[in-house]
Amino acid sequence: MAPEEETSKFCEAYPMKGGDGPNSYANNSTYQRGVVDAAKELLSKAIAEKLDIDILLSSNSFQIADLGCSVGPNTFFAVENIVEAAKFKFQSQGQDSQVPEFQVFFNDHTPNDFNMLFKSLPQNRRYFAVGVPGSFYGRIFPNASIHFVHSSYAIQWLSSVPKVVVDKTSPAWNKGRIHYLNSPEEVARAYEAQYAEDMECFLHARAQEIVYGGLMLLTIPGRPNGSSHSHSSINMSFQLLGSALMDLARKGGVSKEKVDSFNIPIYCMSPQELEAAVERNGSFSIESMENLPHVSVDDTVSKSQLLAAHMRAGMEGLVKQKFGEEILDELFDLYRKKLEKATFFFETGKTINFLCVLRRKGNGFEHAV
Amino acid sequence: MAPEEETSKFCEAYPMKGGDGPNSYANNSTYQRGVVDAAKELLSKAIAEKLDIDILLSSNSFQIADLGCSVGPNTFFAVENIVEAAKFKFQSQGQDSQVPEFQVFFNDHTPNDFNMLFKSLPQNRRYFAVGVPGSFYGRIFPNASIHFVHSSYAIQWLSSVPKVVVDKTSPAWNKGRIHYLNSPEEVARAYEAQYAEDMECFLHARAQEIVYGGLMLLTIPGRPNGSSHSHSSINMSFQLLGSALMDLARKGGVSKEKVDSFNIPIYCMSPQELEAAVERNGSFSIESMENLPHVSVDDTVSKSQLLAAHMRAGMEGLVKQKFGEEILDELFDLYRKKLEKATFFFETGKTINFLCVLRRKGNGFEHAV
């Protein structure tokens, strides 16, 4: 498909809060940083064991893409880990003189704050840095131009809310809720279908962009294999946020119709669901699929405060776009209070972060000429 | 040189005015658009006659860089012209099925408004778009990764003001002026030396980044061969702006010391000077050097009004950084009035836009493996 056909297809974008203010994503993504740190060891292992340096034979530089990079700094830590591990791999194979130059493509939706991303690029970076605007559900790179894809905490975002859940005439209409927990069965089915479609777009695009033998490393928040949607902490947290929104609606702070038409385009997948999508697509082999160790968080503030701050950093853009800036403080304060009382959340909620290493099938030698 | 050594070396940046307001560069660069249009024919000819499509043998995509892209839209017109001409070249050689995908690297200083650039990317573009923050006087791309470099109205900007012209103890101290016209001889010599040094950095970096046989097309505002600095309209216009600033200083609107330490880091080169720099560097052959036809401008407003608007769009960032936002309206209004009275400017001032096509020396076949 030609680039122009793909760029206009995916138009919904949910950037993280830019800038560096108190509620910014940059200052409220310590949990995600924890995930990057927890993934570091697995990442280094994956590169040491799985990276085939012959994929670089026809290329002068090692091209890395970070998809859904947001504004930093987590993306910089992750990329630094990748560069370090890749350099070590070259050196450990006695290829000191062959260590390539690195070029890193930082990708996120067009409305992402790339100005801030660029300003905060590490001064002492060991790579050439580039920003790539556009949805990763479409093509964003030329054919066979990327050697290594990394994406952390990004592909749980769907390309858009499933259309039927905002269609009043559909049995999947999600009135009074903003996610698929405790919704009619059809709502969860619609989210599942959207996930399957999006993941196929994602894998199809990457299959074209990644060189044969190239690796893709995905870190994803999800639910354990075998657990139902209703036991996912992520889903529970959106249910609580939805209930806080409905409370505001009952008090007249926001319109009920707006809440009815507002849904969060995030799907909480299990490793098995991802495996199934990869197998359906057929272009990648699954090299490993592992749960990350538990991420420890700052314990000087209460857990509910921390979770509320993270929820706000991630969802503020989406909420603001729909309901305006003025409800933000009240909404996320209400959410925090609900979280404090939600014992079920901490007792029965299940969540995992898992890391999936995929390899583009095919022979590195037949490529790129 | 490793990327990290190069990224920190060049830290001064003079972004064009971002956004899309009435004084923005985006809305006041119609003259530069005229230059892009005037260059179109020469560009197409250069690609038709000089582009060696064999340089793509070891690559899947055609990599184009636009250096000093600013915020658009001129960069998009230029890039569209390049892509069109390159596609035509492939097709005209019976290589219809071999037309590559295009990836365009839009480069400018880190403070450039990349958010706006990305938002205004043409919807129907025929290329993958990428933003590259950093000074083009250092390395910004991996070794041998670019097939075609374009730069329009950018390399007249020096990497910085020559140090000696702001040194009170130096004979080159440029007291009471902001450029080198009517200054002590040493000031012009310092600008010339800075130009020579910068151009060597520019060519040295590009020689590493451009594949053997790759082309570089530079459009530059300058002075005709054989004409002195004092007959350059560009230099005259900065002299007038300096005189407007000194008027403000005399009225107490700005401090004289600030004017003393303010200089515009632009050098008005002749084609011969560029030729000499290219020959000193040794990595490029000069494929053509031509003056562009006269650029016709919007004649519904007075010429001085238009020139003042262009001057403001280009210099506002620099002036604001030094003197603050509050002087802008008065300064550029004063400048426009001076321009109206400056008959010498229109009678004796000489300016040319010239286009230089360079080819990276070396054999395309020995490359990139």
Side-chain angles (χ1 to χ4, degrees):
Chain A
M1 213 191 290
E4 68 266 38
E5 293 173 61
E6 316 226 12
T7 46
S8 58
K9 192 176 165 193
F10 307 100
C11 54
E12 291 191 46
Y14 321 100
M16 298 301 98
K17 185 165 167 55
D20 53 6
N23 294 315
S24 66
Y25 184 78
N27 285 333
N28 288 281
S29 48
T30 49
Y31 181 79
Q32 285 83 345
R33 167 67 197 267
V35 172
V36 167
D37 287 343
K40 183 177 176 177
E41 199 181 323
L42 291 175
L43 183 151
S44 303
K45 197 176 100 184
I47 290 178
E49 292 174 5
K50 312 283 186 190
L51 179 67
D52 174 5
I53 64 175
D54 289 341
I55 61 172
L56 277 172
L57 274 183
S58 65
S59 190
N60 291 294
S61 56
F62 191 80
Q63 319 269 104
I64 298 165
D66 189 48
L67 308 183
C69 62
S70 185
V71 292
N74 292 336
T75 184
F76 305 131
F77 300 134
V79 159
E80 190 51 46
N81 291 345
I82 295 166
V83 170
E84 191 183 308
K87 283 198 169 187
F88 185 75
K89 172 83 179 192
F90 277 89
Q91 285 157 351
S92 69
Q93 300 212 341
Q95 306 273 337
D96 269 57
S97 62
Q98 298 296 315
V99 174
E101 292 178 333
F102 293 85
Q103 187 173 35
V104 178
F105 294 80
F106 293 97
N107 157 259
D108 212 316
H109 282 293
T110 304
N112 184 52
D113 191 348
F114 282 95
N115 287 349
M116 170 159 173
L117 178 81
F118 288 166
K119 276 169 204 155
S120 45
L121 277 165
Q123 281 293 311
N124 61 346
R125 63 189 182 273
R126 300 181 284 177
Y127 51 85
F128 296 104
V130 166
V132 186
S135 165
F136 52 55
Y137 288 116
R139 284 285 303 279
I140 44 180
F141 301 109
N143 187 38
S145 64
I146 301 291
H147 300 100
F148 192 97
V149 164
H150 176 262
S151 182
S152 181
Y153 260 64
I155 66 164
Q156 76 274 21
W157 286 90
L158 299 172
S159 70
S160 66
V161 170
K163 283 197 181 59
V164 287
V165 308
V166 288
D167 176 358
K168 282 186 185 177
T169 65
S170 163
W173 185 37
N174 201 21
K175 180 177 164 58
R177 279 169 303 270
I178 65 170
H179 204 236
Y180 52 85
L181 196 53
N182 289 359
S183 292
E185 188 62 16
E186 287 85 353
V187 177
R189 293 295 89 79
Y191 268 82
E192 284 166 1
Q194 185 72 53
Y195 162 74
E197 187 188 322
D198 284 348
M199 194 50 68
E200 175 50 28
C201 288
F202 180 83
L203 294 169
H204 181 69
R206 298 300 86 71
Q208 294 167 74
E209 296 165 353
I210 299 175
V211 300
Y212 294 149
L215 297 179
M216 174 151 66
L217 205 143
L218 307 170
T219 306
I220 305 163
R223 60 183 215 283
N225 283 335
S227 73
S228 70
H229 290 315
S230 58
H231 286 100
S232 153
S233 318
I234 296 171
N235 295 352
M236 286 176 183
S237 67
F238 290 139
Q239 191 194 356
L240 282 176
L241 185 66
S243 130
L245 257 177
M246 281 304 281
D247 284 1
L248 282 191
R250 272 186 285 272
K251 289 199 291 177
V254 298
S255 100
K256 280 188 182 165
E257 287 68 33
K258 272 198 177 174
V259 182
D260 289 346
S261 65
F262 178 72
N263 291 273
I264 291 178
I266 282 182
Y267 182 73
C268 183
M269 74 190 86
S270 69
Q272 271 170 356
E273 281 175 294
L274 180 60
E275 274 172 39
V278 172
E279 275 157 29
R280 270 197 308 275
N281 169 269
S283 298
F284 294 90
S285 59
I286 298 173
E287 299 289 316
S288 84
M289 184 81 85
E290 290 190 64
N291 289 358
L292 291 188
H294 180 70
V295 174
S296 58
V297 288
D298 178 6
D299 55 6
T300 58
V301 292
S302 77
K303 200 164 181 186
S304 53
Q305 211 171 336
L306 207 65
L307 287 170
H310 288 149
M311 176 66 95
R312 179 167 183 164
M315 296 299 133
E316 178 169 325
L318 203 59
V319 173
K320 200 167 108 180
Q321 199 177 314
K322 186 77 177 189
F323 300 99
E325 185 147 22
E326 55 284 5
I327 76 154
L328 294 175
D329 287 342
E330 192 178 355
L331 175 67
F332 287 100
D333 196 49
L334 199 54
Y335 171 71
R336 183 184 53 75
K337 286 177 185 150
K338 281 184 181 279
L339 208 50
E340 274 164 14
K341 290 184 201 145
T343 50
F344 68 90
F345 179 88
F346 298 105
E347 283 164 10
T348 65
K350 288 189 168 59
T351 185
I352 54 168
N353 292 308
F354 63 101
L355 187 143
C356 173
V357 181
L358 302 175
R359 183 195 300 278
R360 176 68 172 97
K361 289 180 185 171
N363 182 340
F365 295 96
E366 75 202 38
H367 207 266
V369 277
Chain B
M1 213 189 295
E4 67 265 39
E5 293 172 60
E6 316 226 14
T7 44
S8 57
K9 193 175 162 195
F10 307 99
C11 53
E12 290 193 46
Y14 321 99
M16 297 301 101
K17 184 166 167 57
D20 54 5
N23 294 316
S24 66
Y25 184 78
N27 284 334
N28 286 281
S29 48
T30 49
Y31 180 79
Q32 285 83 344
R33 167 67 197 266
V35 172
V36 167
D37 287 344
K40 181 176 177 177
E41 199 179 323
L42 291 175
L43 183 151
S44 304
K45 199 176 98 183
I47 290 178
E49 292 174 6
K50 311 284 185 190
L51 179 68
D52 175 5
I53 64 175
D54 290 339
I55 62 172
L56 276 173
L57 273 184
S58 65
S59 190
N60 290 295
S61 56
F62 192 80
Q63 319 270 103
I64 298 165
D66 189 47
L67 307 183
C69 62
S70 187
V71 292
N74 290 336
T75 183
F76 305 131
F77 300 134
V79 159
E80 188 52 45
N81 292 344
I82 296 166
V83 170
E84 189 184 310
K87 282 199 168 185
F88 185 75
K89 172 83 181 194
F90 278 89
Q91 285 157 352
S92 70
Q93 299 212 343
Q95 307 273 337
D96 268 57
S97 63
Q98 298 296 317
V99 174
E101 292 178 333
F102 293 84
Q103 187 173 35
V104 178
F105 294 80
F106 293 97
N107 157 259
D108 212 314
H109 283 294
T110 304
N112 185 52
D113 191 348
F114 282 96
N115 287 349
M116 169 157 172
L117 178 81
F118 287 168
K119 275 169 205 155
S120 45
L121 276 165
Q123 281 292 312
N124 61 346
R125 63 188 182 273
R126 299 181 286 177
Y127 51 84
F128 296 103
V130 167
V132 186
S135 164
F136 52 55
Y137 289 117
R139 284 284 304 279
I140 44 178
F141 301 109
N143 186 39
S145 65
I146 300 291
H147 300 101
F148 192 97
V149 164
H150 176 263
S151 182
S152 181
Y153 260 63
I155 65 165
Q156 76 275 19
W157 286 90
L158 299 172
S159 68
S160 66
V161 170
K163 281 194 182 62
V164 287
V165 308
V166 288
D167 175 359
K168 283 185 183 175
T169 66
S170 163
W173 184 36
N174 201 20
K175 181 179 163 60
R177 280 169 304 269
I178 64 169
H179 205 234
Y180 52 85
L181 196 53
N182 288 0
S183 293
E185 188 63 14
E186 288 85 352
V187 177
R189 292 297 89 78
Y191 268 83
E192 284 165 4
Q194 184 72 52
Y195 162 74
E197 187 189 322
D198 284 347
M199 193 51 69
E200 175 50 27
C201 287
F202 180 83
L203 294 168
H204 181 69
R206 298 299 88 71
Q208 294 167 74
E209 296 166 353
I210 300 175
V211 300
Y212 293 149
L215 298 179
M216 175 152 66
L217 205 142
L218 307 171
T219 307
I220 305 163
R223 59 183 217 280
N225 284 334
S227 74
S228 70
H229 291 314
S230 58
H231 285 100
S232 153
S233 319
I234 296 171
N235 296 351
M236 287 176 182
S237 67
F238 290 138
Q239 191 195 356
L240 282 176
L241 185 66
S243 131
L245 257 177
M246 281 304 281
D247 284 1
L248 283 191
R250 273 185 285 272
K251 289 199 291 175
V254 296
S255 100
K256 278 188 184 166
E257 287 69 31
K258 273 200 177 172
V259 181
D260 289 347
S261 65
F262 178 72
N263 290 274
I264 291 178
I266 282 181
Y267 182 74
C268 182
M269 74 192 87
S270 70
Q272 271 169 356
E273 281 175 293
L274 180 60
E275 273 172 40
V278 171
E279 275 157 29
R280 270 197 308 274
N281 169 270
S283 299
F284 294 91
S285 59
I286 297 172
E287 299 289 316
S288 85
M289 185 81 86
E290 289 190 65
N291 289 357
L292 291 188
H294 180 70
V295 174
S296 57
V297 288
D298 178 5
D299 56 5
T300 58
V301 291
S302 78
K303 202 166 179 184
S304 53
Q305 210 171 335
L306 207 63
L307 287 170
H310 288 148
M311 176 65 95
R312 178 168 183 163
M315 296 300 134
E316 178 169 323
L318 204 57
V319 173
K320 200 166 104 181
Q321 198 176 316
K322 185 80 177 184
F323 301 99
E325 184 147 23
E326 56 282 5
I327 76 155
L328 293 174
D329 286 344
E330 192 178 356
L331 175 66
F332 287 100
D333 195 51
L334 199 54
Y335 171 72
R336 182 184 53 76
K337 285 177 186 150
K338 282 184 179 280
L339 208 50
E340 273 165 13
K341 290 182 201 146
T343 49
F344 67 91
F345 179 90
F346 298 104
E347 283 164 10
T348 65
K350 287 189 166 62
T351 185
I352 55 167
N353 293 308
F354 64 99
L355 187 143
C356 173
V357 181
L358 302 174
R359 183 195 300 277
R360 177 68 173 97
K361 289 180 185 171
N363 182 339
F365 294 98
E366 75 201 38
H367 207 267
V369 277

PDB file of all heavy atoms in Angstrom, chain A residues 198-210:
ATOM      1  N   ASP A 198      -7.073  -4.293  15.109  1.00  0.00           N
ATOM      2  CA  ASP A 198      -5.930  -3.393  15.297  1.00  0.00           C
ATOM      3  C   ASP A 198      -4.618  -4.167  15.336  1.00  0.00           C
ATOM      4  O   ASP A 198      -3.623  -3.747  14.743  1.00  0.00           O
ATOM      5  CB  ASP A 198      -6.079  -2.611  16.607  1.00  0.00           C
ATOM      6  CG  ASP A 198      -7.097  -1.487  16.489  1.00  0.00           C
ATOM      7  OD1 ASP A 198      -7.510  -1.185  15.350  1.00  0.00           O
ATOM      8  OD2 ASP A 198      -7.481  -0.922  17.524  1.00  0.00           O
ATOM      9  N   MET A 199      -4.617  -5.278  16.062  1.00  0.00           N
ATOM     10  CA  MET A 199      -3.367  -6.031  16.201  1.00  0.00           C
ATOM     11  C   MET A 199      -2.938  -6.581  14.843  1.00  0.00           C
ATOM     12  O   MET A 199      -1.740  -6.623  14.541  1.00  0.00           O
ATOM     13  CB  MET A 199      -3.556  -7.144  17.234  1.00  0.00           C
ATOM     14  CG  MET A 199      -2.267  -7.770  17.712  1.00  0.00           C
ATOM     15  SD  MET A 199      -1.011  -6.580  18.248  1.00  0.00           S
ATOM     16  CE  MET A 199      -1.802  -5.949  19.705  1.00  0.00           C
ATOM     17  N   GLU A 200      -3.906  -6.950  14.015  1.00  0.00           N
ATOM     18  CA  GLU A 200      -3.555  -7.411  12.674  1.00  0.00           C
ATOM     19  C   GLU A 200      -2.950  -6.258  11.864  1.00  0.00           C
ATOM     20  O   GLU A 200      -1.950  -6.444  11.151  1.00  0.00           O
ATOM     21  CB  GLU A 200      -4.775  -8.013  11.964  1.00  0.00           C
ATOM     22  CG  GLU A 200      -4.530  -8.423  10.508  1.00  0.00           C
ATOM     23  CD  GLU A 200      -3.291  -9.300  10.278  1.00  0.00           C
ATOM     24  OE1 GLU A 200      -2.882 -10.036  11.200  1.00  0.00           O
ATOM     25  OE2 GLU A 200      -2.713  -9.216   9.168  1.00  0.00           O
ATOM     26  N   CYS A 201      -3.536  -5.056  11.974  1.00  0.00           N
ATOM     27  CA  CYS A 201      -2.945  -3.882  11.291  1.00  0.00           C
ATOM     28  C   CYS A 201      -1.528  -3.638  11.790  1.00  0.00           C
ATOM     29  O   CYS A 201      -0.609  -3.376  11.005  1.00  0.00           O
ATOM     30  CB  CYS A 201      -3.778  -2.621  11.572  1.00  0.00           C
ATOM     31  SG  CYS A 201      -5.354  -2.590  10.725  1.00  0.00           S
ATOM     32  N   PHE A 202      -1.359  -3.712  13.100  1.00  0.00           N
ATOM     33  CA  PHE A 202      -0.051  -3.456  13.715  1.00  0.00           C
ATOM     34  C   PHE A 202       0.989  -4.443  13.185  1.00  0.00           C
ATOM     35  O   PHE A 202       2.072  -4.052  12.728  1.00  0.00           O
ATOM     36  CB  PHE A 202      -0.187  -3.579  15.242  1.00  0.00           C
ATOM     37  CG  PHE A 202       1.090  -3.336  15.995  1.00  0.00           C
ATOM     38  CD1 PHE A 202       1.502  -2.047  16.296  1.00  0.00           C
ATOM     39  CD2 PHE A 202       1.884  -4.392  16.413  1.00  0.00           C
ATOM     40  CE1 PHE A 202       2.688  -1.811  16.998  1.00  0.00           C
ATOM     41  CE2 PHE A 202       3.073  -4.170  17.108  1.00  0.00           C
ATOM     42  CZ  PHE A 202       3.472  -2.881  17.399  1.00  0.00           C
ATOM     43  N   LEU A 203       0.648  -5.720  13.239  1.00  0.00           N
ATOM     44  CA  LEU A 203       1.609  -6.750  12.823  1.00  0.00           C
ATOM     45  C   LEU A 203       1.859  -6.705  11.311  1.00  0.00           C
ATOM     46  O   LEU A 203       2.984  -6.904  10.845  1.00  0.00           O
ATOM     47  CB  LEU A 203       1.109  -8.139  13.248  1.00  0.00           C
ATOM     48  CG  LEU A 203       1.055  -8.360  14.769  1.00  0.00           C
ATOM     49  CD1 LEU A 203       0.292  -9.640  15.095  1.00  0.00           C
ATOM     50  CD2 LEU A 203       2.462  -8.399  15.360  1.00  0.00           C
ATOM     51  N   HIS A 204       0.815  -6.413  10.557  1.00  0.00           N
ATOM     52  CA  HIS A 204       0.949  -6.335   9.102  1.00  0.00           C
ATOM     53  C   HIS A 204       1.904  -5.194   8.715  1.00  0.00           C
ATOM     54  O   HIS A 204       2.784  -5.364   7.858  1.00  0.00           O
ATOM     55  CB  HIS A 204      -0.429  -6.113   8.480  1.00  0.00           C
ATOM     56  CG  HIS A 204      -0.409  -6.037   6.985  1.00  0.00           C
ATOM     57  ND1 HIS A 204      -0.136  -7.132   6.186  1.00  0.00           N
ATOM     58  CD2 HIS A 204      -0.593  -4.990   6.136  1.00  0.00           C
ATOM     59  CE1 HIS A 204      -0.169  -6.757   4.914  1.00  0.00           C
ATOM     60  NE2 HIS A 204      -0.440  -5.465   4.858  1.00  0.00           N
ATOM     61  N   ALA A 205       1.732  -4.042   9.369  1.00  0.00           N
ATOM     62  CA  ALA A 205       2.604  -2.896   9.067  1.00  0.00           C
ATOM     63  C   ALA A 205       4.041  -3.201   9.470  1.00  0.00           C
ATOM     64  O   ALA A 205       4.984  -2.975   8.702  1.00  0.00           O
ATOM     65  CB  ALA A 205       2.103  -1.644   9.789  1.00  0.00           C
ATOM     66  N   ARG A 206       4.226  -3.757  10.670  1.00  0.00           N
ATOM     67  CA  ARG A 206       5.587  -4.049  11.155  1.00  0.00           C
ATOM     68  C   ARG A 206       6.259  -5.127  10.299  1.00  0.00           C
ATOM     69  O   ARG A 206       7.479  -5.104  10.109  1.00  0.00           O
ATOM     70  CB  ARG A 206       5.550  -4.509  12.613  1.00  0.00           C
ATOM     71  CG  ARG A 206       5.030  -3.527  13.643  1.00  0.00           C
ATOM     72  CD  ARG A 206       5.769  -2.232  13.761  1.00  0.00           C
ATOM     73  NE  ARG A 206       5.322  -1.194  12.831  1.00  0.00           N
ATOM     74  CZ  ARG A 206       4.161  -0.549  12.909  1.00  0.00           C
ATOM     75  NH1 ARG A 206       3.303  -0.819  13.840  1.00  0.00           N
ATOM     76  NH2 ARG A 206       3.870   0.394  12.013  1.00  0.00           N
ATOM     77  N   ALA A 207       5.456  -6.066   9.801  1.00  0.00           N
ATOM     78  CA  ALA A 207       6.035  -7.140   8.978  1.00  0.00           C
ATOM     79  C   ALA A 207       6.688  -6.547   7.732  1.00  0.00           C
ATOM     80  O   ALA A 207       7.694  -7.063   7.233  1.00  0.00           O
ATOM     81  CB  ALA A 207       4.963  -8.148   8.587  1.00  0.00           C
ATOM     82  N   GLN A 208       6.127  -5.450   7.232  1.00  0.00           N
ATOM     83  CA  GLN A 208       6.724  -4.804   6.063  1.00  0.00           C
ATOM     84  C   GLN A 208       7.946  -3.978   6.443  1.00  0.00           C
ATOM     85  O   GLN A 208       8.897  -3.871   5.687  1.00  0.00           O
ATOM     86  CB  GLN A 208       5.687  -3.913   5.379  1.00  0.00           C
ATOM     87  CG  GLN A 208       4.533  -4.700   4.777  1.00  0.00           C
ATOM     88  CD  GLN A 208       3.370  -3.794   4.398  1.00  0.00           C
ATOM     89  OE1 GLN A 208       3.438  -3.078   3.416  1.00  0.00           O
ATOM     90  NE2 GLN A 208       2.316  -3.809   5.189  1.00  0.00           N
ATOM     91  N   GLU A 209       7.906  -3.379   7.610  1.00  0.00           N
ATOM     92  CA  GLU A 209       8.936  -2.408   7.988  1.00  0.00           C
ATOM     93  C   GLU A 209      10.192  -3.036   8.589  1.00  0.00           C
ATOM     94  O   GLU A 209      11.289  -2.475   8.488  1.00  0.00           O
ATOM     95  CB  GLU A 209       8.347  -1.417   9.003  1.00  0.00           C
ATOM     96  CG  GLU A 209       7.225  -0.582   8.428  1.00  0.00           C
ATOM     97  CD  GLU A 209       6.411   0.137   9.480  1.00  0.00           C
ATOM     98  OE1 GLU A 209       6.626  -0.102  10.676  1.00  0.00           O
ATOM     99  OE2 GLU A 209       5.535   0.938   9.094  1.00  0.00           O
ATOM    100  N   ILE A 210      10.015  -4.173   9.260  1.00  0.00           N
ATOM    101  CA  ILE A 210      11.146  -4.793   9.957  1.00  0.00           C
ATOM    102  C   ILE A 210      11.889  -5.741   9.008  1.00  0.00           C
ATOM    103  O   ILE A 210      11.266  -6.506   8.276  1.00  0.00           O
ATOM    104  CB  ILE A 210      10.648  -5.561  11.202  1.00  0.00           C
ATOM    105  CG1 ILE A 210       9.950  -4.588  12.171  1.00  0.00           C
ATOM    106  CG2 ILE A 210      11.795  -6.278  11.908  1.00  0.00           C
ATOM    107  CD1 ILE A 210       9.320  -5.262  13.380  1.00  0.00           C
TER     108      ILE A 210
END
